[in-house]
Every structure is written in structure tokens, then in C-alpha cells.
Amino acid sequence: MTTLDTPVLTIDGPSGSGKGTISRLVARKLGWHYLDSGALYRAVGVAAGWGDIDLADPAALVRCTFDTEIGFRDEGDELRVLVNGQDATDELRTETAGAAASAIAAIPEVRAALKDRQRAFRQPPGLVADGRDMGTVIFPDAAHKVFLTASAEERAERRYKQLNDKGVPVTLAGLLREILARDARDASRAVAPLRPAEDAVRIDTTGLGIDEVVDRVLALMPARPVGPGA
Ligand code: DC
């Protein structure tokens, strides 16, 4: 099987739609690789913070993208992300890193610089790719495309629970404001705006449990490809 024959399932959607959790579970069920493309943008955001790089300086951010080494370590339940060799998993999940990632992701040269790094994840037996433009720009030839949505209120509540469990002080109203602002920025940027691929199947996850969404995604894959060793 060559890289281009390797099947890809793209799962795109806004923050908090459940993409990350669903994609990881689906990848595990299929025995496929998993790409968390948002982590790449967040990693550059974190590296920019470490280097005191101004988020309003696109040329410096492009240099930072080229200079930043990003690695993933699968620890069963969790995917650890290494930025320049340092474990930055927890820092990556902060709202600060998310906001920096969203600003950085609007720079066309940054997106171009990350394209090949994302495509390199396409390895047999298959790839589940999670992001905003997986089905539209990075893997337009993917055989299976899903676009997950959920109401902004539900997405804010999910994030609130997540952060609250971790003891991070946040308010629901603040999170809702941030989610709406990020949605608007991601959907209105000139390059690779957040939108479903024409051939993507939309699933609204509002009010649905994780297992229900995973089952719906798997049900979309007609001749279910098999994982390693099958
Ligand atoms: O999925 P996430 O919240 O980790 O993504 C962080 C930011 O990165 C988000 O604001 C949009 C951007 N992003 C993107 O532009 N394209 C992707 N494929 C993934 C994320």
C-alpha cells in the first residue's frame, strides 16, 4: 500500500464539537493513526510564547513555525505533545495557547509550512485526521469526511466541565464569548476558513453521548477497513 492509497477519515469542526475525543476513539477502533492538527498550531503558539514572539509579527511567526520541532508520544490514554523536545501537553490545552493558535492559523505561510508535516501522518493502515481544513485542504481526496458541530452553548459547557475538573478558574459566560470569537475568526479568515467539505457528512453532536457519535461515524464507513494484523 503506498501512502496515497492509504485511506483517510477527516473529522473537521469548530472547537468543542468533540472532534478530539471522537477522532481518537475512532482511530483506536479502526487501528489507524491519528493526527491532531490543532496541536501543531497550538505547538507553534506555545513556542512563540516561549520565544517572546509578537503575535502581530507574521514574519517572525513563520520563522518560528519552521524552527519549531513538534513530536507526539502516544501513551495509551493520552497523546503527549513535545515542543522542541519538551513536554508541552498541558500548556497546549490552555485558552492562551488556543487563542495564539487561532491567530497564527490565519497566516497563509504558516499554514503552508505545516502542510507537509500533516500529510506525513498518512501512513498505512489508515489515518484519522482531526482539524478545521482536513477534508477541504490537507486531504481533499479522503474517502471519508465528517463535519462535527454542536451548539456554542453546549461547546462552552463541555469546555467548562473539562477545565473545572482540572481546577482551572473560568466562567461559562467567558468561555462562551471566547468560543464565539474563535468561531468567527476561524470561519472568516481568508485561507482555509472553517467550513465543511462539500462531500462531508455533518453530524450535530448537541445532546449526543460520545459512544453515540463514535458509532455514527463508524457507520458512515461502508466497507469498514481493517486494522493491523487483521
Ligand atoms: O482544534 P484546536 O482547538 O486545537 O485548534 C486550535 C486552533 O488552531 C484553532 O483556533 C484553529 C486552528 N486550526 C486550524 O486553523 N486548522 C486546523 N486544521 C486545526 C486547527
Side-chain angles (χ1 to χ4, degrees), residues 12-16 19-20 35-42 92-93 97-106 111 118 130-134 138 159 182-183 185-186 189 191-194:
D12 288 308
S15 307
K19 277 176 308 150
L35 164 63
D36 174 1
S37 63
L40 298 179
Y41 290 94
R42 286 173 182 266
L92 237 61
R93 291 294 136 212
S102 174
I104 286 168
R111 304 199 71 85
Q118 294 174 81
D130 141 15
R132 303 289 194 290
D133 61 342
M134 298 296 100
I138 306 297
R159 191 88 186 113
R182 180 143 9 129
D183 278 1
R185 201 163 44 221
D186 291 344
R189 68 176 174 228
V191 268
L194 174 65

Side-chain angles (χ1 to χ4, degrees), residues 7-80:
V8 179
L9 161 66
T10 60
I11 303 187
D12 288 308
S15 307
S17 57
K19 277 176 308 150
T21 308
I22 302 300
S23 302
R24 259 196 317 277
L25 288 171
V26 169
R28 195 167 308 153
K29 289 217 173 190
L30 293 171
W32 286 11
H33 298 280
Y34 167 59
L35 164 63
D36 174 1
S37 63
L40 298 179
Y41 290 94
R42 286 173 182 266
V44 176
V46 165
W50 289 350
D52 252 341
I53 294 171
D54 185 353
L55 289 179
D57 182 349
L61 291 169
V62 173
R63 274 197 304 279
C64 175
T65 307
F66 280 110
D67 292 345
T68 305
E69 214 178 278
I70 308 164
F72 292 90
R73 199 172 57 216
D74 194 348
E75 287 191 352
D77 276 359
E78 220 186 350
L79 190 69
R80 307 297 297 182

